[in-house]
Amino acid sequence: MDLSSLLRVFKLTLPVATAYVPLGLALGVFMVSSGIDWYWAPISALVIFAGSIEFLVVTFIISGQPLIAVAWTALIVNFRHIFYGLSFPLKSMKSRLQKAYGVFALTDETYAIVCASKGRPLRGIDISLLQVISHAWWVGASFLGAVLGSLLPAEVTGFEFALTAMFIALAADAVSNDSDMSLLTYAAISCVFGALMEFYILKSSFLGSGLICYLLLISKDYKQAKMEVPLHE
């Protein structure tokens, strides 16, 4: 790979860094402030590499949740990656190691860059480098956050709210761009459905049943839109 290609891929990771660096810093500080040794922040960032799950893992560790609960939550939260894999250009990656890392390091941000890249399409080596640099942003920020967290006084709290704040911002952006308010309506219906499942049928099923309900509702609209396309053409 020549220097121009390397610089091009690095520039593509800069928008990723704007998300990974502040969240990684918050994760590192959150771990240390929760009583977890600082070195677990970069280790979890390196091995898990799933931002929302890493924040939840801290809560799981503190509350002593069973492994099956952790595995189920991780599956539900990252279930969308199954659909990402349907269009991710894994075939452009040649070696098995490259493909394995491509699956492991598939995130929302890198997927968006790969699938929406303008101009010259990214080669397999470009995609791998994109993922490696993005991963490095996350690990480095988590490490720096852990170091800073160990220097902060114990009175400084509230870093656990970083993930909640991020999802609130994403939800507000989605609602502002939802002209017919269908997504907000589906979210409300899914919450009610999840609550009913939780209280009357199966305990600890709110998240899973709510997400399944939401998936079915938006799948209905997708199927209907797909059927209407030939009529407009």
Side-chain angles (χ1 to χ4, degrees):
M1 173 177 287
D2 55 20
L3 183 59
S4 61
S5 298
L6 179 61
L7 290 175
R8 176 183 176 232
V9 174
F10 179 78
K11 289 179 180 179
L12 290 176
T13 68
L14 294 180
V16 177
T18 61
Y20 283 8
V21 170
L23 278 177
L25 289 171
L27 173 64
V29 175
F30 179 36
M31 277 195 166
V32 173
S33 63
S34 300
I36 301 175
D37 292 331
W38 69 269
Y39 53 81
W40 284 112
I43 290 176
S44 67
L46 181 65
V47 177
I48 301 176
F49 194 31
S52 55
I53 287 297
E54 289 179 58
F55 277 89
L56 293 174
V57 163
V58 178
T59 305
F60 291 149
I61 293 174
I62 297 174
S63 60
Q65 291 292 323
L67 185 60
I68 185 64
V70 178
W72 171 247
T73 304
L75 175 63
I76 292 298
V77 172
N78 291 319
F79 188 76
R80 65 191 184 281
H81 286 199
I82 295 177
F83 300 98
Y84 290 172
L86 298 177
S87 57
F88 189 73
L90 196 63
K91 293 182 179 180
S92 63
M93 300 177 178
K94 298 180 180 180
S95 68
R96 292 184 178 180
L97 179 61
Q98 195 177 6
K99 291 181 179 180
Y101 182 76
V103 173
F104 165 75
L106 178 60
T107 63
D108 299 344
E109 294 79 10
T110 54
Y111 174 81
I113 292 174
V114 170
C115 294
S117 59
K118 299 179 181 179
R120 189 173 76 245
L122 295 175
R123 301 169 298 168
I125 186 63
D126 295 329
I127 297 173
S128 296
L129 184 59
L130 173 73
Q131 292 181 305
V132 168
I133 297 176
S134 299
H135 198 174
W137 282 119
W138 180 246
V139 175
S142 300
F143 169 74
L144 182 58
V147 173
L148 293 175
S150 62
L151 300 176
L152 291 176
E155 293 78 14
V156 179
T157 60
F159 291 96
E160 67 278 5
F161 190 72
L163 187 65
T164 304
M166 182 189 72
F167 282 121
I168 290 175
L170 291 174
D173 182 66
V175 170
S176 65
N177 293 312
D178 185 21
S179 58
D180 59 358
M181 302 299 287
S182 60
L183 296 181
L184 186 60
T185 302
Y186 292 164
I189 294 174
S190 300
C191 286
V192 173
F193 178 77
L196 293 175
M197 289 289 293
E198 171 82 18
F199 289 111
Y200 295 106
I201 298 180
L202 182 64
K203 292 294 183 182
S204 302
S205 63
F206 174 81
L207 180 61
S209 57
L211 286 175
I212 291 174
C213 178
Y214 188 79
L215 179 62
L216 292 174
L217 290 172
I218 62 175
S219 297
K220 173 185 66 65
D221 285 356
Y222 174 77
K223 184 177 181 180
Q224 183 179 355
K226 189 175 181 180
M227 293 175 62
E228 293 177 353
V229 168
L231 297 178
H232 294 299
E233 292 178 347

